[in-house]
Every structure is written in C-alpha cells, then in structure tokens.
Amino acid sequence: MERFPLKSSTSKMATTYQSVYKKGAINTNGRGVVTPGEDDMVDITPGLQQAAATSPTTPTNHGTFQLYEHSGRNSNASTNSYIAQYFNTSTGDAIIFSGMQGDTDDIPGIGQYDDFHTIDWQRDIARDRMRHRYIVKKRQDSLWDLIKGAHDAWSGWVCVLLVGVCTGVVAGVIDIGASWMTDLKFGICSQAFWFNREQCCWSSDETTFDQGNCSQWLTWPQVFGESREGAGAYIISYLFYIVWALLFAALSASLVRMFAPYACGSGIPEIKTILSGFIIRGYLGKWTLIVKVVGLILSVSSGLSLGKEGPMVHIASCLGNILSYLFPKYGRNEAKKREILSAAAAAGVSVAFGAPIGGVLFSLEEVSYYFPLKTLWRSFFCALIAAFILRSINPFGNEHSVLFFVEYNKPWIFFELIPFVGLGIIGGCIATIFIKANIYWCRYRKYSKLGQYPVTEVLVVTLVTAVIAYPNPYTRMNTSQLIYLLFNQCGISNSDPLCDYNRNFTDVNSAIEKAAAGPGVYKAIWLLFLALVLKLVMTIFTFGIKVPCGLFIPSLALGAIAGRIVGIGVEQLAYNYPKIWLFSGECSTGDDCITPGLYAMVGAAAVLGGVTRMTVSLVVIMFELTGGVRYIVPLMAAAMASKWVGDALGRQGIYDAHIALNGYPFLDSKDEFQHTSLAADVMQPKRNETLAVITQDSMTVDDVETLLKETEHNGYPVVVSKESQYLVGFVLRRDLNLAIANARRTMEGITGQSVVVFAGMVSPPAGPPPYLPLNRILDMAPITVTDQTPMETVVDMFRKLGLRQTLVTHNGRLLGVITKKDVLRHVKQMDNEDPNSVLFN
C-alpha cells in the first residue's frame, strides 16, 4: 500500500499516514490492525480528513468512502490524534487531493487563476487524472454513469471537430471579404457590387481583358465618366486608392481601440506564452475574436504591408478557447484547455496556407509548450477538418485551397544548391535587419508618447504606404497576388513585364526555350528592387501597430522578390554561358533549364525561416503551399542556411523577441542554461531575510488576513511552527482569500480570532470561537529542492514540469521560494540583460 506522510505538530515530528478504502472492505485482526483486501483499495487521498477520531482504527464516513488514520507513533499519541474537520460538507463520491477539486466545487473559484499569472501544470494534470479515475470507477454503477463516461472519453474529439469546422468557416469568410474589399480600392462590379474583380469577370464572354479588367468591372474613373487611361483617370484612381486605404485602416484601428485592444498584432507571441501556461484574461475571448476577424479583413484590404495568415492562429485559438467551455473537462482545467489550443493553432495555419500537415508541425515546433502524442492526433484531425471545410467553401474559386499554387515541370540541377544556399544567407540577413529594426521601433513606440496615439500612427503608416505603393505596380497589387506572380512560370499567356523574353512561341505545347531577357525584364527587376526596399521598410513600421497584422505574407513577399531577381540572374548566366563547367552540360540544350519561379519560392522560405526561425514546419508548409514536393532539398538547404545566419547575427526570432519585449514569463525549452549558480542564489528571500510563512495550527484568521495585506506573494509555505520551520505544504493566495470569504459566509461563529488549521493537531482548540479548517486548499506535496541544487536542474524542472514555484529547503527546514519570475530574472541577469523587464508572475 502506498503511503503519504502527514506532518504532525508534536515536537518529535511523528509521521501519520492515511488511506481510503471502500465501505465494508475493512477487516481487523486481533491486534486492531487494519488489513484491507487488495482489490478494495482505491486512491490514496492526503488531505481528505473528517471529524475527530479517537482511535487509529475508527472509521470516519465520507460519502461512500471511509477514512482511517494509521499511526506510526506510540499508543498515547495515537489516542490523541486528531483528524481535522473537512469544512462540514459532503462531496458525495468525489475523490479529492489537497489543493485540488473533486467532482464538485464547495468553494467557488478554488483552482482558478488570476489574470497575468502562471498556471500550475502538475496540479491541473493531477486534478484531471483524479477526475478521470473517478469517472472510470463510476461507469459500473448505472447506465447514466456509463453514458457520462463515454461522453468524457470522446469530448476531446468532438471539441477539436467543432474547432476545425468553425475555423474553416471563419477563414473562408475572411478570404472572401478581404478579396472583395481589396478590389474595392480599384473599382466596382456593375452587375453585382458584392463580386470582386475575378468573380465579376467570370460571366463575361470576352476573350481578353485589359490588365485583368473586363467591361463589367468598372474602375473608379469609369464610374465618374472618365476613360480607363490618361492622367485624369490615374489621379482619380490614385485618390480613391488612398481614401479607401485610410477608411479601412481607420475602421480597423478604431474597432481595436474601442472594443478589443487584444485584437491587434499577429497574436502568435501571446499564443506561445499562453500555451506555456500563462493566463491572459480576455485575449482569447469572444470580443477579441469578433474584432480580430472584422479588423483583419479591413487591415488586409487597406494595403498595409501585413498578412492575414499569422492572425489566423490567434482567431483559431479564440475559437478553441470559446468552444472548450462547452466541455467542462477542458473549460475548467487550464492545463487540459491548452491541448485544445494547440490543436486550434494547427488548424489556424492549416486554413491560412492550405497546409494541414504543416499546421500540425508548426504547432509542435513553434507555438506549443506541452504536446503529448494524444494532442498530436487531435491536432492532425482538427487541421484536416479545417482544411476540408475551407476547400468546400472554395474562397479562391479554383481547385486549390491556396492562392498561389504553382507547378514546375523542370527538376532542379545539382549546381543550383549554391544559389539556393546563397538565397538562404540573403534571407537570414534580410530577416535579421527586419527583426532588429522592428524591435527597436516597437520599443521606441512602447516607451515614448507615440504609443499614446495608436489610431493616428495607423493612419500615418497607411497614408505613407498608400502614397508610395500606388506608383509601383508590384507594391500596388495585393501581396498574395504578387507572390503568385513571382512564383509563376513565364508562359505564352503571361503578359507581365517579368516575362518579356525574346521568345518565339510557335507551338503552345512545345517546351519553353531559353531566351535573352528583354527590356521589360530589366525594368521589372528595378521595380522589384524598389518594391523590396519599400516593403522591408514599411513592414518594419507596420508590424506592431494597433491593427490585426501578420508577418508570414510580407516575409514571403520579401524573399520571393529577392529570389526572383537572383533566379533571373542565374537564368541569364545559363543563357549566355551554357557550356561552362558550372552548369555541367545541363543547359546546353535549347530548353529553359533554370526556373526563376523556383528561386522565388526558395527565397520566400529563406526569409520566412530567418524571421520566425522555423525549419521543419516551414519546409512542409512551403511544399504544401506550392505543390512543389520535388523541391524539398532546395527548401531545406535554404531554410537551414537562413536559420544559421539568423542565429549567428541575432539570437531570437521575431516572436521570441516580442515576448521578451513585452516581458511575458516564457521559458524557452530550446535555450540552454549554462551558468553555475545554485538554488540558494536565486531563492526569495535571500539569506538572513524574513520569510513570510503560515503555521499549520497556531495562526488566527486575523493573523492570516494581516499577512495577506502586508505581502503580495502569490502563495505561502505552511510550516509546523515559526521556530522549527519544518515544511508542511503550500497554499495559494487566491485560494486563501476565497476560502476565508466562503467560511465567513457559510460557517457559523467564524470570527477574526478563529484559529486556522491546515493539518492534524494533537488536540482541537477548546471553546468558542470555532476553528477554521483549511486543509482542503493545502498542497501537501509541493515540489521542493535543496539550497545546493544547481540552477541548471531547477530551470529544467520549471521547463519540463511546468512549475509555478518550488520551495527551497535545507535538512527539511524551509529556506525560501523560487518562482518562475525569479528564474526568468536570474536568466536575464546572467545574460547581462535587464532583470526587471519580466513584468508578470
């Protein structure tokens, strides 16, 4: 039989044990020793104590269970042993651990967390484990209990199914809305104003369209009676482009400021922090969801240098959080809820890129902190459902669920690994410039008066972006369309200047021949270079403003531009010098051996990998995104080169940098602690300072409330006495406040002079007022370390066990406490950074 030691208040610190047995399963031999049957023993439950017992073998009823206290002490001590009253309430068949809830809640709010606090993974997981054992045991009692057990078993799958369906529907709405409102800046459909330009021209029987415009699509100059071409038409189009952009951006920023301040940004840094066990109330709420969806459509349509793919992770996580409350198993347990949020994050990437496998890997590699195998399966299922729903909606009007699906017919040549790795280096450099500049600007915004005028900043950035972007056709168009253009091959039907080669197409079905670049290509290269500089600068100022904004699409665009320029250069080198050793005779035939679009794809992966530091998930997302399965090796080479360069020039990716900038308590499991400090160097308080503690049976309600008022700690160690300092357990501040308030309201006679009892006593307090038993909220098995434990071990414990705090002891005596915030501050101090930048507990 397992045993859990309970501290006693006797001077010898004798140890008692308690166990739970089924009713009627107890036999005693002649010596009065309890001998339960093997099959009759159920869960050991320290802290489940009832009214006083005068004999170690006298049972105390608690619902359908009986409680016994076995003594390892002498007979006199056993006779005087006392089991504290358990709030004078019955919990039915609930099996309860100290500091945990059973099947019912006697004290409302116990086990929950305050805003901007860290959850206790171990406690929440243990609570769920006990709940599950209780449900499994009850299945045999009745058909209704069997149905409840089945519901509990498949509730996780039902929840992720609902998350996937809702995510797919919301993504379809966002794609359709953003496409229509983006085209609204250029014109309107005369037949049906709710059609975008492509849909408006579907029913047209014209064979050619002028710059993608058909007669049914009216540009704004045409609406006002002007022609499509000319100076007047250009000015009118320019003005309407700016006005619509400012209107969309102003609406988006105003919605965010008035209704949901948490809806701004991409949300991925906060999602990473939340999945690591941090509480941000309202960040995944319904208002944040609504404003994020509407604001995202508006901000993407405004033409700002941002994307909708990153915020889709935030939107899907909001859906996961809201839907989890339909299932108490997840809604009332923060650790279990994070399994649903991990699956939701995978669904968000799945619908953003049409890449369900990449979404699962993204959730595993980039955002999730705790990812068991069960969560992997559910994330895969959730991403699959979301992608299926989006494909059914078909927002892009083609057979694919992504906008820039391309197919290349030519295999890559071995020597091309050199420019591919070169693109990885270029991507790492571009990413590093962007991260450093963006963090500098965001820090300036945060600590200057600029942060007080968020809407004004949005309007200024939008105005500058619109004014500069319109003259350049590559910055004027939608960023997703630009990426598709850069990824695409040049064929007979492509009339863009990028495809102005001196080719003679005599047969549509013939292979594309090598040819010299015409003047249109060189002009396009200059425009693309200007677009690269403009998008880089504007993205630096845009990412972090108070509108929903993502970073995936701008990063892909930057890399695609750089890659296309490099690809054209390699292509022309192969055309002019086809027989040099570098090409190994592969380009001596008349066919085009170099595909510039492939270089654009590799460059896009390089910059995105450098910005986010993704590797495996990035490669999978890119080949799912484009259909280029045969180009995995070039993508891997570029992604690794980009990551190496990025890590060499700057330690953090953009999301980790923003987590550090905001001061969120995030312990990255990928970092290594390389210092030689000990637990005694980090614990609070320092040596020779006073430690705020609670004694197990000698403090009154007034004493406890005074301690709560004079200190701001999140929890307090409970010791035998202030003289001995032997550790009994740990109690949370929130639970103390709730329990005392509940006792004053529900228990008669409780006053400020009532003694607060946390553990067994030699004898109960005599006379009024009655004592207040609080063993229910006491964690009798807190994680402890000694003062000589290396901090490397302590940091690993916080990362892998998800600890909220650990207690430091020496020879069993309490010395101090180490919280997650203390660990983060110490890590920053050891890295010569500001330790006070960690803002929350």
Side-chain angles (χ1 to χ4, degrees):
M1 182 183 71
E2 293 185 61
R3 292 181 174 181
F4 288 79
L6 301 175
K7 301 296 183 191
S8 170
S9 59
T10 58
S11 58
K12 295 182 180 180
M13 289 301 295
T15 302
T16 62
Y17 298 89
Q18 70 180 34
S19 312
V20 178
Y21 300 94
K22 292 181 182 177
K23 181 184 288 187
I26 306 300
N27 297 311
T28 55
N29 56 22
R31 293 169 294 179
V33 178
V34 178
T35 58
E38 265 185 27
D39 296 333
D40 296 320
M41 188 175 69
V42 294
D43 298 301
I44 309 300
T45 56
L48 185 61
Q49 299 169 325
Q50 266 283 5
T54 57
S55 168
T57 59
T58 302
T60 301
N61 288 328
H62 188 82
T64 58
F65 294 94
Q66 292 181 317
L67 183 65
Y68 293 81
E69 185 180 32
H70 307 283
S71 176
R73 299 171 287 180
N74 56 43
S75 59
N76 292 331
S78 300
T79 303
N80 294 326
S81 67
Y82 174 73
I83 303 179
Q85 185 181 6
Y86 181 68
F87 267 89
N88 292 323
T89 56
S90 174
T91 57
D93 292 343
I95 300 176
I96 302 170
F97 262 82
S98 296
M100 304 172 195
Q101 291 142 286
D103 196 44
T104 61
D105 290 329
D106 291 332
I107 308 175
I110 291 290
Q112 299 177 8
Y113 301 94
D114 289 326
D115 199 9
F116 293 119
H117 281 67
T118 305
I119 73 171
D120 191 331
W121 286 88
Q122 293 298 303
R123 185 184 72 166
D124 284 4
I125 292 173
R127 281 176 54 207
D128 181 73
R129 191 179 299 120
M130 294 305 302
R131 182 200 58 77
H132 179 69
R133 289 174 181 168
Y134 168 72
I135 290 175
V136 170
K137 177 183 178 297
K138 291 285 290 180
R139 283 180 184 174
Q140 305 171 358
D141 294 352
S142 67
L143 179 62
W144 177 243
D145 288 320
L146 181 64
I147 294 173
K148 288 198 297 185
H151 169 74
D152 181 78
W154 52 254
S155 61
W157 291 100
V158 175
C159 188
V160 296
L161 171 65
L162 294 176
V163 172
V165 171
C166 294
T167 302
V169 171
V170 172
V173 171
I174 291 174
D175 288 335
I176 293 171
S179 176
W180 173 69
M181 295 181 71
T182 299
D183 287 345
L184 198 60
K185 293 185 299 183
F186 302 99
I188 193 167
C189 188
S190 59
Q191 287 189 336
F193 70 91
W194 57 87
F195 282 173
N196 62 20
R197 180 160 49 188
E198 183 181 3
Q199 292 168 336
C200 187
C201 295
W202 277 349
S203 59
S204 176
D205 57 358
E206 300 168 54
T207 56
T208 59
F209 301 148
D210 181 21
Q211 296 180 348
N213 296 325
C214 59
S215 59
Q216 296 174 5
W217 176 262
L218 300 180
T219 62
W220 290 114
Q222 289 178 298
V223 173
F224 289 93
E226 298 287 335
S227 63
R228 287 178 182 253
E229 305 296 333
Y234 185 85
I235 293 173
I236 292 175
S237 299
Y238 203 161
L239 289 176
F240 266 89
Y241 183 89
I242 294 173
V243 170
W244 279 115
L246 289 173
L247 177 62
F248 293 154
L251 282 173
S252 179
S254 300
L255 285 173
V256 168
R257 184 175 186 182
M258 289 189 294
F259 298 105
Y262 283 150
C264 65
S266 74
I268 292 181
E270 287 77 12
I271 296 299
K272 286 187 68 171
T273 308
I274 289 172
L275 287 176
S276 74
F278 194 54
I279 302 293
I280 307 180
R281 299 285 180 208
Y283 198 83
L284 302 177
K286 58 181 180 301
W287 276 109
T288 303
L289 170 65
I290 295 170
V291 174
K292 188 89 173 186
V293 171
V294 178
L296 182 60
I297 296 173
L298 290 166
S299 58
V300 170
S301 305
S302 67
L304 286 166
S305 183
L306 49 83
K308 62 180 182 292
E309 280 67 22
M312 280 303 307
V313 176
H314 186 188
I315 290 170
S317 298
C318 288
L319 290 168
N321 177 65
I322 294 169
L323 292 171
S324 67
Y325 285 102
L326 299 176
F327 307 88
K329 174 181 178 180
Y330 298 98
R332 295 171 57 188
N333 190 308
E334 293 291 342
K336 293 292 291 181
K337 184 190 293 182
R338 272 144 185 78
E339 296 180 13
I340 302 298
L341 297 182
S342 293
V349 176
S350 173
V351 295
F353 293 109
I357 300 176
V360 175
L361 292 176
F362 174 83
S363 180
L364 170 63
E365 179 182 5
E366 188 63 23
V367 296
S368 293
Y369 202 81
Y370 174 70
F371 205 82
L373 191 60
K374 177 173 59 179
T375 303
L376 177 68
W377 298 335
R378 288 178 180 166
S379 298
F380 183 80
F381 178 66
C382 189
L384 170 67
I385 295 297
F388 173 75
I389 295 297
L390 183 64
R391 176 67 186 84
S392 301
I393 295 174
N394 195 15
F396 302 117
N398 55 31
E399 70 274 17
H400 305 295
S401 56
V402 293
L403 185 58
F404 30 91
F405 185 90
V406 294
E407 291 179 309
Y408 305 125
N409 299 321
K410 291 288 182 181
W412 59 280
I413 306 171
F414 183 76
F415 85 89
E416 289 183 286
L417 280 178
I418 298 173
F420 290 154
V421 172
L423 279 174
I425 296 172
I426 294 172
C429 294
I430 293 175
T432 303
I433 293 171
F434 167 75
I435 293 172
K436 291 185 178 296
N438 179 254
I439 293 299
Y440 174 83
W441 179 250
C442 289
R443 185 177 287 111
Y444 173 77
R445 177 194 294 124
K446 184 176 181 179
Y447 297 110
S448 68
K449 290 185 177 180
L450 179 63
Q452 302 173 13
Y453 307 98
V455 178
T456 304
E457 183 192 8
V458 170
L459 292 177
V460 170
V461 172
T462 305
L463 178 62
V464 173
T465 302
V467 169
I468 299 177
Y470 189 83
N472 189 335
Y474 296 119
T475 52
R476 183 193 314 166
M477 68 174 60
N478 184 10
T479 309
S480 294
Q481 294 175 344
L482 172 62
I483 296 172
Y484 177 71
L485 175 66
L486 296 171
F487 282 8
N488 215 351
Q489 295 189 81
C490 286
I492 190 171
S493 61
N494 199 325
S495 60
D496 191 86
L498 269 175
C499 295
D500 182 21
Y501 290 90
N502 298 324
R503 289 181 176 136
N504 182 21
F505 287 106
T506 56
D507 185 0
V508 176
N509 297 319
S510 64
I512 300 175
E513 61 181 5
K514 289 191 299 182
V521 174
Y522 292 107
K523 179 183 177 182
I525 288 176
W526 281 109
L527 290 174
L528 284 175
F529 181 77
L530 292 175
L532 175 65
V533 175
L534 171 64
K535 283 195 169 290
L536 176 60
V537 173
M538 294 316 301
T539 307
I540 288 170
F541 291 99
T542 303
F543 188 70
I545 61 176
K546 301 306 179 184
V547 295
C549 54
L551 198 59
F552 282 14
I553 288 296
S555 300
L556 289 173
L558 291 173
I561 292 172
R564 186 76 184 209
I565 294 173
V566 172
I568 292 173
V570 176
E571 180 190 44
Q572 291 305 299
L573 182 65
Y575 172 74
N576 293 308
Y577 306 99
K579 296 184 179 180
I580 62 174
W581 63 271
L582 187 63
F583 299 107
S584 305
E586 297 282 350
C587 294
S588 58
T589 62
D591 292 344
D592 191 2
C593 63
I594 304 296
T595 306
L598 172 60
Y599 286 76
M601 186 174 78
V602 173
V607 174
L608 182 58
V611 169
T612 63
R613 299 295 198 271
M614 294 190 299
T615 52
V616 180
S617 58
L618 172 67
V619 173
V620 176
I621 287 173
M622 288 305 297
F623 82 69
E624 282 190 281
L625 183 67
T626 59
V629 182
R630 66 169 68 179
Y631 305 110
I632 290 179
V633 172
L635 290 171
M636 291 174 66
M640 286 309 304
S642 176
K643 177 175 171 56
W644 286 335
V645 172
D647 288 342
L649 299 178
R651 190 180 61 180
Q652 295 176 317
I654 187 67
Y655 299 133
D656 293 331
H658 273 270
I659 287 173
L661 176 65
N662 293 325
Y664 297 138
F666 181 75
L667 268 176
D668 195 343
S669 58
K670 296 187 287 289
D671 292 340
E672 293 184 5
F673 187 83
Q674 301 176 341
H675 309 288
T676 57
S677 50
L678 302 176
D681 303 325
V682 183
M683 70 178 186
Q684 298 292 335
K686 301 300 182 186
R687 293 185 185 276
N688 302 321
E689 295 181 10
T690 304
L691 175 63
V693 296
I694 296 175
T695 57
Q696 68 174 352
D697 53 19
S698 61
M699 292 180 68
T700 64
V701 172
D702 284 343
D703 295 335
V704 174
E705 289 182 333
T706 301
L707 180 66
L708 291 171
K709 290 177 182 177
E710 293 178 351
T711 60
E712 297 180 351
H713 306 309
N714 290 325
Y716 301 90
V718 177
V719 296
V720 174
S721 66
K722 292 190 176 180
E723 293 76 22
S724 67
Q725 293 284 310
Y726 280 107
L727 181 64
V728 176
F730 190 83
V731 64
L732 295 176
R733 179 191 191 90
R734 174 187 171 88
D735 291 354
L736 261 180
N737 281 319
L738 289 170
I740 291 175
N742 184 74
R744 287 185 181 275
R745 188 177 65 255
T746 60
M747 296 180 65
E748 295 182 2
I750 295 295
T751 67
Q753 299 305 312
S754 298
V755 176
V756 180
V757 177
F758 286 95
M761 301 173 58
V762 175
S763 60
Y771 64 95
L772 174 60
L774 293 184
N775 56 308
R776 167 79 187 269
I777 63 173
L778 179 66
D779 180 6
M780 300 185 69
I783 302 295
T784 60
V785 296
T786 69
D787 55 338
Q788 297 301 308
T789 303
M791 272 307 296
E792 183 178 3
T793 302
V794 175
V795 171
D796 275 344
M797 291 172 65
F798 272 89
R799 285 175 180 157
K800 296 174 181 178
L801 296 179
L803 300 184
R804 194 178 189 186
Q805 69 278 316
T806 183
L807 305 179
V808 183
T809 61
H810 179 75
N811 292 336
R813 295 178 182 270
L814 180 68
L815 294 182
V817 181
I818 298 178
T819 65
K820 190 174 183 180
K821 186 174 181 179
D822 296 327
V823 173
L824 287 160
R825 282 178 165 171
H826 181 68
V827 170
K828 287 188 174 292
Q829 198 169 15
M830 292 291 99
D831 293 339
N832 297 319
E833 298 178 16
D834 180 16
N836 294 320
S837 61
V838 182
L839 301 178
F840 309 117
N841 295 316

